[in-house]
Amino acid sequence: MKSRIFLLLVAFHVLAGSLIGQTAPPASTLPVPPNAAEKTDAKTPAPAARTPASSAPTPVTPTPATSAPATPVGQAPAQLENPAKSDSADSNESVATIVHVVNEVRVVFTVTDRHGHYIKDLKRDNFRVIDDQKPAELRSFRSETDLPLQVGLLVDASNSVRDRFKFEQEAAIEFLNAIIRPRYDKAFVVGFDATPEVTQDFTDNTEGLSAGVRMLRAGGGTAMYDALYFACRDKLLKQEQIGPVRRAIILLSDGEDNLSHVTREEAIDMAARAEVIVYTISTNISGMKGKGDKVLERIAEATGGRAFFPFQMRDVSDAFLSIQEELRSQYAMAYKPANFIADGRYRTIEILEQDKGLRVRTRKGYYAPKQ
């Protein structure tokens, strides 16, 4: 009897085990919920993101999706749709206005006769303008003897100009005192040897300018191209310009450069971008034009200025007087180029005067703005 009961218990146990095996799959085959993989991935990188003790931990900023889940993902574009159209319409109007402005090129120039005397009574009909080798439409023309000036005085303070440095300082001070009018014109002073140094920033205070010139001390190498590049890019190009102005640099140097990082042509190119005319005054007192003098001629010619070679000290003052007269003897015109494209390309300017015996001096070109 006992053996029968034991056999029945064993059979019941085996039957129950087989039933359980059919209704409950093994743990390895359990179905994975759809979000389980995402939750697992979000948690598993945490150990790997730990940084070594020697490294600073990287802060984690919550994304807007987790910090503000109430906002539907697709709603932002719908909200921005109308403002975008409004901005587009406004931008089209502003672009049209800007294109109209940049299509008018402003240029200031002087006219001299065969003897270098300034001609100040010419009329609009005396001139034709060639822009990028095509005739341009002249929009406005006037004689200007009173344009506001933005002037940079660049003085070579290297060892090579030590001989007459003091005299040149005094001549420069006399020039600035005569040409800068309070509340109208502005000037700055830069001395350079190995590096350019601003001894007086833009001001209409002639006493401050005089002090800036007297602060200059001769000594060191010569980085003339760097100084010219700096004065055009970091000073004149960034100076506010309201209406026509006359931007000019007076460069006193022997033209020898042995330390610059930029080339002569790069300095000239920057002068063109800043619409600066450069007047050069050579400090060479040898009585013969040297290599440096040819460099000064190239810079002046390329920017629409003049090169002066005062071999005697008293001639330095005369050079400053000539520059002063030219800055007050000028014409201003605005014209519309033909086939103008705002592509950032360099475009040449040529102003032709009907009288072949007259000479027009102006900048050689400009850079068109980019769209």
Side-chain angles (χ1 to χ4, degrees):
M1 185 69 181
K2 290 181 180 180
S3 59
R4 289 180 180 177
I5 294 172
F6 175 77
L7 290 174
L8 288 172
L9 291 173
V10 170
F12 178 78
H13 180 74
V14 171
L15 179 61
S18 63
L19 290 173
I20 292 172
Q22 292 177 0
T23 58
S28 61
T29 60
L30 286 174
V32 180
N35 295 333
E38 295 178 6
K39 292 181 180 179
T40 303
D41 292 343
K43 293 180 181 179
T44 50
R50 294 177 183 173
T51 56
S54 60
S55 303
T58 303
V60 179
T61 304
T63 62
T66 57
S67 60
T71 304
V73 175
Q75 188 173 342
Q79 291 176 341
L80 293 176
E81 183 177 356
N82 289 336
K85 290 180 180 179
S86 175
D87 291 344
S88 177
D90 292 343
S91 64
N92 288 338
E93 293 178 2
S94 62
V95 167
T97 303
I98 293 172
V99 168
H100 176 72
V101 173
V102 299
N103 274 357
E104 284 194 1
V105 178
R106 293 175 178 176
V107 60
V108 178
F109 61 97
T110 57
V111 182
T112 57
D113 61 16
R114 293 183 179 89
H115 306 288
H117 300 139
Y118 296 102
I119 309 300
K120 306 177 185 180
D121 58 353
L122 298 174
K123 306 300 180 184
R124 174 179 180 144
D125 294 339
N126 291 102
F127 300 96
R128 290 191 303 115
V129 183
I130 306 298
D131 182 289
D132 208 31
Q133 300 182 352
K134 296 180 179 64
E137 177 188 346
L138 191 58
R139 291 291 186 87
S140 66
F141 174 89
R142 62 186 179 274
S143 177
E144 288 284 3
T145 59
D146 204 33
L147 280 177
L149 301 177
Q150 294 178 357
V151 177
L153 179 66
L154 271 62
V155 181
D156 189 339
S158 64
N159 277 320
S160 60
V161 300
R162 186 182 295 272
D163 293 340
R164 58 180 187 180
F165 188 71
K166 184 69 174 177
F167 180 83
E168 288 165 353
Q169 282 180 300
E170 295 305 318
I173 290 172
E174 184 178 350
F175 165 77
L176 292 172
N177 286 335
I179 201 168
I180 299 301
R181 297 161 294 180
R183 299 181 301 276
Y184 200 67
D185 306 311
K186 288 188 176 182
F188 64 95
V189 179
V190 171
F192 65 92
D193 43 27
T195 57
E197 178 187 4
V198 179
T199 56
Q200 175 58 60
D201 209 339
F202 268 112
T203 184
D204 61 354
N205 186 320
T206 54
E207 291 184 2
L209 292 168
S210 299
V213 175
R214 292 193 174 99
M215 286 175 61
L216 301 173
R217 297 289 182 270
T222 308
M224 182 181 69
Y225 306 145
D226 285 354
L228 179 57
Y229 190 94
F230 164 79
C232 293
R233 184 193 65 181
D234 296 297
K235 305 306 298 178
L236 287 161
L237 190 59
K238 295 180 179 179
Q239 182 69 5
E240 183 181 9
Q241 178 178 344
I242 302 175
V245 298
R246 183 74 154 173
R247 285 179 169 173
I249 282 178
I250 293 89
L251 173 61
L252 281 82
S253 177
D254 60 1
E256 298 287 346
D257 190 304
N258 52 25
L259 289 176
S260 283
H261 295 86
V262 302
T263 65
R264 179 191 66 189
E265 296 307 310
E266 286 172 333
I268 291 173
D269 182 76
M270 185 53 64
R273 292 182 183 277
E275 300 181 2
V276 175
I277 294 176
V278 183
Y279 298 92
T280 60
I281 301 178
S282 175
T283 59
N284 173 22
I285 57 174
S286 66
M288 297 179 60
K289 285 187 179 181
K291 179 181 178 181
D293 291 328
K294 294 179 181 179
V295 170
L296 296 176
E297 280 186 317
R298 165 61 184 160
I299 293 173
E301 177 67 22
T303 59
R306 291 177 62 189
F308 297 88
F309 303 99
F311 294 128
Q312 298 181 16
M313 285 190 179
R314 65 176 179 270
D315 295 335
V316 176
S317 297
D318 294 339
F320 276 112
L321 288 173
S322 296
I323 295 172
Q324 180 180 341
E325 184 181 4
E326 177 159 328
L327 290 174
R328 299 299 183 201
S329 307
Q330 54 221 350
Y331 297 93
M333 69 164 56
Y335 67 87
K336 181 181 179 181
N339 303 326
F340 182 83
I341 301 175
D343 55 2
R345 186 173 58 85
Y346 183 80
R347 299 172 68 96
T348 58
I349 298 175
E350 187 178 6
I351 300 176
L352 304 178
E353 212 283 325
Q354 290 182 358
D355 188 341
K356 301 301 182 181
L358 300 182
R359 180 185 179 188
V360 177
R361 185 181 299 111
T362 188
R363 56 191 171 109
K364 302 303 180 184
Y366 65 97
Y367 282 90
K370 291 184 179 180
Q371 289 181 338

